Amino acid sequence: MSIVSIGGLTKRYGDVTAVDRVSLDIGDGEFVALLGPSGCGKTTTLRCVAGLESPDEGTIRLGAGTVVDRSRGYELPPHKRDIGMVFQSYALWPHMSVIQNVSYPLRLKRQRKPAARAKAMEALELVGLAGYESRSVSALSGGQQQRVALARALVREPSVLLLDEPLSNLDAALRTQMRVELKRIHEQTRSTMVYVTHDQEEAVSMSDRIAVMHDGRAVQIGSPRDVFDEPSSRWVAEFLGYENILPGRIESVGDASARVRPDGWDTSLTSTRTTRCSAGDRVWIAIRSTAIAFDDAPADSQDRPNLLDAKVLRSTFLGTAFEHEVAAFGSHLVAKQITAEQSSPAASQGTDAVVRIEPGQIALIPAADDPAADEAGRRPANEAATGPAADATADEPVAGGGRVS
Ligand SMILES: Nc1ncnc2c1ncn2[C@@H]1O[C@H](COP(=O)(O)OP(=O)(O)O)[C@@H](O)[C@H]1O
Ligand SMILES: [Mg+2]
């Protein structure tokens, strides 16, 4: 049963459509991340659910009750919604002690002091702050303050907890630790959590499902695996860090694999991710840098697919990995090789090499309704290197790659 049901939610600020017809159903006890770049409408969506913003269109249901129905002009005020919220800025009362902050929502609901205190102590225990109850919040570290904010949101045992980038003010080590803590708290309380973040790692490591947002729209909703392995569009692939995205066409589709030819290539590639394509389709071929590896076999070996003659253009040591830029069939590809060695064991700059692209890691993204992809197919392969475009929102594909002489 879904506990949060958002339908056609739209919120405009003047000319800006901050949230654009977002629909999302969240199950009881689910952990769902709203993931997207800054300005894509994550916070506004959350604030509409909490009742802190009034949407222009759409419906929101919480549990069995409707809290927003714009067509009827109906909106339940925020304090009547069974929701807890945690913000990026902790929003604590600086003049109050830890326990006063945490028990505040209960006191507001006129719970008696001893009962409120007992509940608050439980919440503090849950977030790992037992023993801190009489401290002043202003004497706590950022991480501890965020735990207090979390305890304050949990104390009323809301049916839904909304978290807006709660970890982004913490340093990296603490963020990682809090991720694990939050996951534990989710498992312990089984409360429904909607978690806003622009950080993919956070979204992947904690969520049951991810809703990827772009320009106010929820452009893909699925499990972390689905979203990462089968991005719904070129934009999503780029946002999720696919370094190599080539325009191409599906040549044939078999039972377990498909043949796809990148535009301008003399050969085609085998991909085993075939669920979304048929022969003749225009597609974006998305390949992570880690799926391209140097290989000892000659490129014309028949027994293994996707071996390519390539030239190493550039190699950069990144501390724990080498990043190579290689050219094959006029396309520039980024290949990443995890190694602690100071010099690349497999290839050095300017040499010829054979690279292999893992067939299980070539995502084929339907581009049939994407006129830009077709245009790229007709364009000569003389553009700059394919890779993460400087402007991640650009829809214009970067074709082919520089011809190598
Ligand atoms: N109160 C506001 N007034 C005007 N524009 C706003 C307001 N809040 C948000 N916006 C705009 O709406 C868009 C979405 O913002 P927001 O929901 O905060 O994005 P995110 O949380 O994903 O970074 C942005 O273009 C932002 O500038
Ligand atoms: Mg935000």
Side-chain angles (χ1 to χ4, degrees):
M1 189 200 92
S2 66
I3 191 149
V4 182
S5 187
I6 301 172
L9 188 73
T10 298
K11 173 69 186 173
R12 298 182 199 95
Y13 297 105
D15 291 344
V16 177
T17 304
V19 179
D20 191 1
R21 291 159 290 163
V22 166
S23 295
L24 177 64
D25 284 318
I26 297 169
D28 196 3
E30 216 182 359
F31 193 118
V32 173
L34 303 185
L35 172 68
S38 174
C40 71
K42 307 179 296 293
T43 294
T44 308
T45 303
L46 217 58
R47 289 175 61 84
C48 288
V49 175
L52 303 172
E53 293 290 345
S54 177
D56 294 296
E57 288 161 33
T59 55
I60 302 173
R61 221 167 27 74
L62 286 177
T66 295
V67 298
V68 174
D69 184 348
R70 284 311 309 166
S71 65
R72 291 195 290 126
Y74 176 75
E75 272 183 72
L76 193 70
H79 65 274
K80 292 196 172 157
R81 301 186 191 188
D82 186 14
I83 271 177
M85 189 144 180
V86 180
F87 303 92
Q88 176 177 347
S89 61
Y90 320 123
L92 300 172
W93 304 104
H95 59 284
M96 288 186 190
S97 69
V98 168
I99 190 96
Q100 284 170 332
N101 264 282
V102 176
S103 54
Y104 186 78
L106 299 178
R107 300 286 289 151
L108 211 57
K109 286 174 80 183
R110 309 215 183 285
Q111 271 206 15
R112 297 173 62 84
K113 210 166 181 176
R117 192 184 159 84
K119 279 269 179 226
M121 292 295 280
E122 268 177 45
L124 284 172
E125 175 113 16
L126 186 65
V127 301
L129 279 184
Y132 286 74
E133 55 274 12
S134 33
R135 303 266 185 107
S136 153
V137 288
S138 37
L140 300 181
S141 71
Q144 290 167 332
Q145 292 192 22
Q146 193 52 293
R147 283 168 198 262
V148 175
L150 192 58
R152 187 183 54 186
L154 287 165
V155 76
R156 285 190 302 124
E157 297 172 356
S159 50
V160 181
L161 192 60
L162 307 176
L163 304 112
D164 191 356
E165 313 234 14
L167 308 185
S168 52
N169 278 345
L170 307 178
D171 64 50
L174 201 52
R175 256 199 326 263
T176 313
Q177 186 194 335
M178 280 299 282
R179 256 187 234 166
V180 178
E181 286 276 291
L182 262 175
K183 197 65 203 155
R184 174 186 61 75
I185 290 166
H186 175 242
E187 271 152 24
Q188 221 165 317
T189 59
R190 291 317 305 172
S191 51
T192 307
M193 296 192 177
V194 187
Y195 188 99
V196 158
T197 183
H198 64 272
D199 182 311
Q200 299 170 35
E201 244 179 59
E202 270 184 18
V204 173
S205 59
M206 295 193 282
S207 313
D208 299 311
R209 278 190 308 149
I210 295 175
V212 182
M213 290 191 67
H214 178 211
D215 278 352
R217 288 169 298 132
V219 290
Q220 187 169 9
I221 301 170
S223 71
R225 256 274 74 89
D226 286 347
V227 171
F228 271 71
D229 287 354
E230 310 246 300
S232 61
S233 68
R234 180 187 201 278
W235 184 88
V236 173
E238 212 168 273
F239 176 68
L240 296 178
Y242 279 82
E243 294 92 338
N244 303 293
I245 304 176
L246 305 167
R249 188 180 293 282
I250 304 288
E251 285 186 341
S252 61
V253 181
D255 283 345
S257 67
R259 300 286 296 169
V260 58
R261 187 187 291 263
D263 292 346
W265 285 35
D266 295 340
T267 188
S268 53
L269 296 169
T270 297
S271 166
T272 53
R273 294 196 196 160
T274 59
T275 48
R276 297 182 297 170
C277 57
S278 358
D281 285 357
R282 292 290 305 158
V283 288
W284 293 108
I285 305 161
I287 307 163
R288 290 191 185 278
S289 60
T290 45
I292 306 179
F294 291 100
D295 205 287
D296 293 333
D300 56 4
S301 314
Q302 295 301 313
D303 52 334
R304 287 158 68 232
N306 299 355
L307 290 162
L308 307 171
D309 275 320
K311 198 177 206 55
V312 181
L313 302 178
R314 196 168 44 80
S315 293
T316 313
F317 184 53
L318 302 177
T320 53
F322 261 94
E323 191 175 87
H324 306 280
E325 189 182 331
V326 303
F329 298 105
S331 295
H332 288 202
L333 302 171
V334 179
K336 195 177 268 177
Q337 186 187 18
I338 310 290
T339 173
E341 303 291 321
Q342 277 288 327
S343 65
S344 169
S348 54
Q349 208 152 312
T351 57
D352 291 326
V354 171
V355 295
R356 180 169 182 273
I357 306 178
E358 179 55 45
Q361 295 193 44
I362 299 179
L364 302 174
I365 304 168
D369 347 322
D370 185 345
D374 272 324
E375 192 204 318
R378 288 193 295 273
R379 221 162 36 193
N382 60 0
E383 304 273 348
T386 299
D391 176 8
T393 62
D395 283 319
E396 182 73 355
V398 182
R403 177 66 61 185
V404 184
S405 50

